[in-house]
């Protein structure tokens, strides 16, 4: 007996596509179901018939994408960096910044929804950690331990180092490519070196 997913109707597809565009452009709170219905060219009641609520529609947009598309893609993409061995932690961080930058540029609409909505929807956060976080965090812990043993990272709890590096990288990339692209940023190489300089003052041990 095969476990096949129900096939989406043309109206359901239109609703999901319209919701994805509008959630990315205006955010979940700033988008009404009437706007989604107008963009999808369906009656507003059709949305509630298929998805029960606007929150149900958000989960229908994000959850399947996270399971089938975002999670495998993030893992595969990250592994391109995580599976390499860099002599210095600074080179690892440079590679991570370049890797995340390309990923966000290639998948902007869906990632914009995730960045905007995960802080306000615990169920989305739980799904993200379930499908993406655990495997990646385990590998990052191994990498932090490796550089600590080489004397290149401070003797601080591994998860604290991961949070510090991840927040530095993601805050820069999300600001530059998602929310504030119009700001007069320096060249990418300059911004990257600035992040490394800031980290060197805190967690990176200079030779």
């Amino acid at each position: 007996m095969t476990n096949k997913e129900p096939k989406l109707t043309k109206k359901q597809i239109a609703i999901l596509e319209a919701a994805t565009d509008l959630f990315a452009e205006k955010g979940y709170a700033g988008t009404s179901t009437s706007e989604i219905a107008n963009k999808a060219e369906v009656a507003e009641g059709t949305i509630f018939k298929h998805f029960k609520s606007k929150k149900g529609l958000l989960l229908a947009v994000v959850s399947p994408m996270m399971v089938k598309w975002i999670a495998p893609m993030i893992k595969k993409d990250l592994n391109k960096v995580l599976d390499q061995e860099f002599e210095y932690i600074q080179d690892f961080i440079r590679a991570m910044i370049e890797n995340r930058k390309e990923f966000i540029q290639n998948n902007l609409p869906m990632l914009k929804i995730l960045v905007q909505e995960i802080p306000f929807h615990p169920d989305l956060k739980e799904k993200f950690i379930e499908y993406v976080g655990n495997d990646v965090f385990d590998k990052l812990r191994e990498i932090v331990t490796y550089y600590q043993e080489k004397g290149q990272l401070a003797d601080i709890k591994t998860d604290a180092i991961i949070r510090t590096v991840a927040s530095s990288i993601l805050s820069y990339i999300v600001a530059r490519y998602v929310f504030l692209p119009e700001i007069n940023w320096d060249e990418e190489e300059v911004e990257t070196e600035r992040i490394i300089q800031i980290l060197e003052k805190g967690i990176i041990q200079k030779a």
Side-chain angles (χ1 to χ4, degrees):
M1 185 174 173
T2 57
N3 184 21
K4 292 186 177 179
E5 295 181 1
K7 190 174 180 180
L8 295 176
T9 65
K10 288 183 179 180
K11 286 185 178 181
Q12 286 174 307
I13 292 170
I15 292 168
L16 288 170
E17 289 177 347
T20 300
D21 290 344
L22 288 169
F23 287 159
E25 179 186 348
K26 304 177 69 175
Y28 173 80
T31 301
S32 68
T33 51
S34 62
E35 289 176 304
I36 295 170
N38 287 337
K39 188 173 180 66
E41 298 182 344
V42 300
E44 190 172 5
T46 304
I47 293 176
F48 297 107
K49 174 184 174 184
H50 290 296
F51 301 101
K52 308 303 179 189
S53 65
K54 190 170 79 163
K55 179 66 175 288
L57 180 53
L58 174 67
L59 293 175
V61 167
V62 174
S63 295
M65 292 286 192
M66 200 179 295
V67 175
K68 293 183 174 179
W69 178 58
I70 294 177
M73 196 178 295
I74 286 178
K75 289 180 183 179
K76 181 180 177 182
D77 213 47
L78 266 178
N79 284 339
K80 293 176 185 176
V81 176
L82 299 182
D83 290 341
Q84 294 184 60
E85 189 171 309
F86 297 92
E87 184 175 357
Y88 298 105
I89 182 64
Q90 290 93 333
D91 293 330
F92 172 75
I93 292 171
R94 289 183 187 101
M96 285 291 289
I97 292 173
E98 181 64 24
N99 176 272
R100 295 299 82 202
K101 179 197 77 176
E102 291 180 359
F103 184 82
I104 286 179
Q105 287 176 320
N106 292 335
N107 303 281
L108 193 55
M110 183 56 61
L111 290 169
K112 194 170 183 181
I113 294 172
L114 281 177
V115 170
Q116 289 173 332
E117 305 307 333
I118 276 181
F120 305 105
H121 301 283
D123 36 3
L124 284 183
K125 182 179 179 180
E126 289 171 9
K127 285 181 181 295
F128 184 82
I129 292 172
E130 178 184 354
Y131 295 125
V132 179
N134 293 329
D135 292 344
V136 170
F137 290 149
D138 286 343
K139 191 165 285 191
L140 286 171
R141 289 184 185 106
E142 292 177 11
I143 291 170
V144 169
T145 301
Y146 168 75
Y147 285 112
Q148 284 179 322
E149 290 173 351
K150 285 170 68 74
Q152 294 185 23
L153 282 175
D155 187 16
I156 302 171
K157 285 180 65 176
T158 56
D159 284 13
I161 290 178
I162 291 169
R163 287 194 299 270
T164 301
V165 175
S167 61
S168 299
I169 292 173
L170 291 176
S171 60
Y172 159 62
I173 291 175
V174 169
R176 179 165 189 153
Y177 298 104
V178 179
F179 293 122
L180 301 169
E182 69 280 0
I183 284 182
N184 186 22
W185 294 89
D186 287 328
E187 294 293 325
E188 292 172 353
E189 293 80 6
V190 174
E191 297 285 356
T192 296
E193 293 308 310
R194 187 172 293 135
I195 291 170
I196 290 172
Q197 287 171 9
I198 291 169
L199 292 173
E200 283 177 339
K201 294 181 183 300
I203 62 170
I204 296 176
Q205 305 279 19
K206 280 192 172 182

